[in-house]
Amino acid sequence: MIWLDGALVSRGEGGVYGERTVGEYRVWDPYRSKFAAYAMLGGDFDLAPGLRVLYLGAANGTTVSHVADYVEVAYAVEFAPRPMQDLLEVCRPRQNIVPIMADAGRPAAYRGIVEEVDLVYQDVAQPDQVRIALANLLFLRPGGTFILMLKTRSVDIRKDPREVAEEAVRALEEGGLAVKDVRWLEPYHRDHAAIVCEALK
Ligand SMILES: C[S@@+](CC[C@H](N)C(=O)[O-])C[C@H]1O[C@@H](n2cnc3c(N)ncnc32)[C@H](O)[C@@H]1O
């Protein structure tokens, strides 16, 4: 990925969320994007050209717009109409984001649209985040990467965030993923953990 003076950037059309630009580069704000926060905190995942990505919880396109600056194609799933309207505007000048209005918890709805991918990135902030993750494994190639941005307070606000993360890790491993990294996203995002996994089969 591309770094400029300690900031993560991507090369693409700016003006998606008022992000700063430096020449042709868009500064990727870690306070607005958990992916950027993960990278800023030393997370080891490289977005490379040629990657196919399934992005669950695209919202208004902040993060997926940066992801798309790097990769071949991003299938962007979002179920709420208002952010989807903004996402469609983000897609307009970009050829490689496929917006899909659907519930990520019901992947059968987009099974005929999404091909096998190298990376599934999920940021849905739902109580059943782990179930949604496992339901989408069918799109991930063997050896591919799953990045789950776990919002622990959406799972159980009364539980210790670390306990919620430990339970999520166990469930993901039982579901056929090898967990490679668990990284808390403070100071950028409170009580969020990035859980990075590899698909075993
Ligand atoms: C935290 S926001 C995502 C922010 C976005 N990933 C970014 O960094 O730019 C969570 C989004 O997930 C969407 N979402 C939640 N549950 C979903 C589901 N089951 N299917 C599709 N989208 C979902 C919400 O509507 C919301 O827009």
Side-chain angles (χ1 to χ4, degrees):
M1 295 204 287
I2 310 165
W3 296 84
L4 277 184
D5 295 332
L8 181 63
V9 298
S10 68
R11 193 162 61 188
E13 176 128 350
V16 172
Y17 59 102
E19 71 277 19
R20 199 159 59 83
T21 53
V22 182
E24 59 194 333
Y25 295 103
R26 305 169 58 213
V27 177
W28 195 342
D29 184 347
Y31 289 97
R32 300 287 297 275
S33 169
K34 285 150 218 146
F35 196 106
Y38 178 68
M40 291 294 286
L41 292 165
D44 182 22
F45 183 80
D46 202 19
L47 284 174
L51 282 189
R52 292 155 299 159
V53 180
L54 172 59
Y55 191 116
L56 306 172
N60 34 24
T62 300
T63 298
V64 77
S65 67
H66 284 289
V67 171
D69 287 343
Y70 281 98
V71 305
E72 184 176 307
V73 62
Y75 297 93
V77 177
E78 172 57 53
F79 73 175
R82 185 63 194 89
M84 179 50 92
Q85 278 177 17
D86 293 341
L87 178 63
L88 291 176
E89 289 308 311
V90 171
C91 293
R92 209 182 286 279
R94 294 175 168 79
Q95 302 299 309
N96 66 340
I97 305 178
V98 181
I100 300 172
M101 190 163 172
D103 180 352
R106 297 171 185 270
Y110 46 90
R111 202 171 178 166
I113 302 171
V114 177
E115 62 189 318
E116 187 176 69
V117 297
D118 308 289
L119 168 67
V120 180
Y121 178 86
Q122 179 180 309
D123 179 17
V124 296
Q126 289 287 357
D128 58 344
Q129 289 161 76
V130 171
R131 184 197 68 77
I132 292 173
L134 296 176
N136 282 274
L137 280 189
L138 65 122
F139 298 105
L140 189 57
R141 70 163 171 81
T145 302
F146 200 111
I147 301 181
L148 170 60
M149 293 303 180
L150 183 74
K151 183 173 182 181
T152 61
R153 292 189 169 275
S154 296
V155 176
D156 192 335
I157 197 162
R158 293 156 307 176
K159 261 193 193 156
D160 179 350
R162 291 190 188 259
E163 201 183 321
V164 174
E166 278 162 20
E167 284 172 11
V169 164
R170 269 198 299 278
L172 292 167
E173 290 192 324
E174 281 166 18
L177 290 163
V179 174
K180 299 290 182 190
D181 190 19
V182 178
R183 203 168 286 254
W184 292 91
L185 299 182
E186 273 98 11
Y188 303 109
H189 302 272
R190 208 170 148 224
D191 295 333
H192 282 78
I195 305 181
V196 180
C197 318
E198 184 184 323
L200 296 175
K201 55 181 167 42

